[in-house]
Amino acid sequence: DAGVTQSPTHLIKTRGQQVTLRCSPKSGHDTVSWYQQALGQGPQFIFQYYEEEERQRGNFPDRFSGHQFPNYSSELNVNALLLGDSALYLCASSLPGANVLTFGAGSRLTVL
Amino acid sequence: AQSVTQLGSHVSVSEGALVLLRCNYSSSVPPYLFWYVQYPNQGLQLLLKYTTGATLVKGINGFEAEFKKSETSFHLTKPSAHMSDAAEYFCAVSETDSWGKLQFGAGTQVVVTP
């Protein structure tokens, strides 16, 4: 049973560019949440998608946007990259109404 | 607003010794509480969670945690550390009506020495 898969695992971008990160949830899960984990810090909630809509959002600017597809997979898009966007981006999936999250291994973004 | 404080960013324990990781939270409503572990280059893995009921919660790998409402604490313990316990540990809190939206602490790095 595949868990949460994320791609790419590592990527390097320059300031001002745009990036798209992808996530496939665990089989049977239909809710996807995204977290940003800066170096030496705990993960911070970005937003959550369920039924192809953003359901909850953390304190992140509009440069951060997302999408969920009919097969429950999800994308995280970040526009106009800043140096401070360098972080590990974690995707987590769950059943609706469940607080138990299954995390992927993350996508490490470096912004130069 | 919720917040989570983990006391000690680094903890060093001897193999076989007690592991104690401290977590205090603030929340306006009774929260759900979690401990996650993160091994290098991996995602987070759930160790245990408290939602309702028994305040002493047992998790995987021999870990347990006790919810103390009066102290707003949810400390994690393991009686005997193993080398494989070396990892980063995160305490997290969620409001009961915000499923999937976790507030994490800054984490505690555990080093196990022979």
Side-chain angles (χ1 to χ4, degrees):
Chain A
D1 179 24
V4 177
T5 58
Q6 294 186 242
S7 64
T9 55
H10 295 82
L11 69 167
I12 300 173
K13 294 286 187 178
T14 57
R15 281 178 295 174
Q17 286 189 314
Q18 178 265 345
V19 68
T20 298
L21 307 178
R22 297 176 176 81
C23 172
S24 292
K26 181 178 178 179
S27 177
H29 289 184
D30 56 9
T31 301
V32 173
S33 302
W34 287 90
Y35 286 81
Q36 181 196 65
Q37 185 178 16
L39 195 63
Q41 297 183 23
Q44 291 192 49
F45 177 79
I46 303 175
F47 44 53
Q48 180 187 71
Y49 278 84
Y50 171 62
E51 292 186 335
E52 302 180 47
E53 291 188 10
E54 183 181 295
R55 299 293 180 170
Q56 300 185 84
R57 189 177 182 92
N59 188 27
F60 279 80
D62 292 344
R63 298 188 296 110
F64 289 77
S65 63
H67 187 76
Q68 185 178 36
F69 299 93
N71 67 353
Y72 310 126
S73 66
S74 177
E75 289 182 349
L76 164 65
N77 300 292
V78 187
N79 294 322
L81 285 168
L82 304 174
L83 295 179
D85 295 331
S86 295
L88 180 68
Y89 288 85
L90 296 166
C91 173
S93 70
S94 60
L95 296 169
N99 259 303
V100 177
L101 303 179
T102 300
F103 282 85
S107 293
R108 185 166 296 281
L109 171 65
T110 301
V111 182
L112 302 178
Chain B
Q2 301 171 322
S3 68
V4 179
T5 302
Q6 292 185 237
L7 297 177
S9 58
H10 288 80
V11 169
S12 181
V13 298
S14 299
E15 191 175 16
L18 171 72
V19 179
L20 170 60
L21 305 182
R22 300 180 187 274
C23 172
N24 288 88
Y25 69 91
S26 66
S27 176
S28 57
V29 297
Y32 292 156
L33 295 159
F34 308 82
W35 276 99
Y36 280 85
V37 61
Q38 187 176 32
Y39 298 100
N41 301 314
Q42 296 187 28
L44 280 73
Q45 179 183 8
L46 179 68
L47 279 176
L48 49 78
K49 67 181 183 347
Y50 170 79
T51 53
T52 59
T55 57
L56 183 62
V57 180
K58 294 186 183 300
I60 62 172
N61 301 340
F63 285 93
E64 64 181 36
E66 186 171 10
F67 170 56
K68 292 188 176 181
K69 184 178 179 180
S70 61
E71 299 177 8
T72 61
S73 70
F74 191 57
H75 301 331
L76 181 72
T77 61
K78 180 174 180 177
S80 177
H82 191 273
M83 296 299 289
S84 62
D85 294 326
E88 186 146 26
Y89 293 79
F90 293 94
C91 180
V93 61
S94 170
E95 291 186 4
T96 54
D97 60 350
S98 295
W99 42 274
K101 181 180 180 181
L102 303 182
Q103 176 74 40
F104 284 88
T108 299
Q109 184 72 46
V110 172
V111 174
V112 182
T113 58

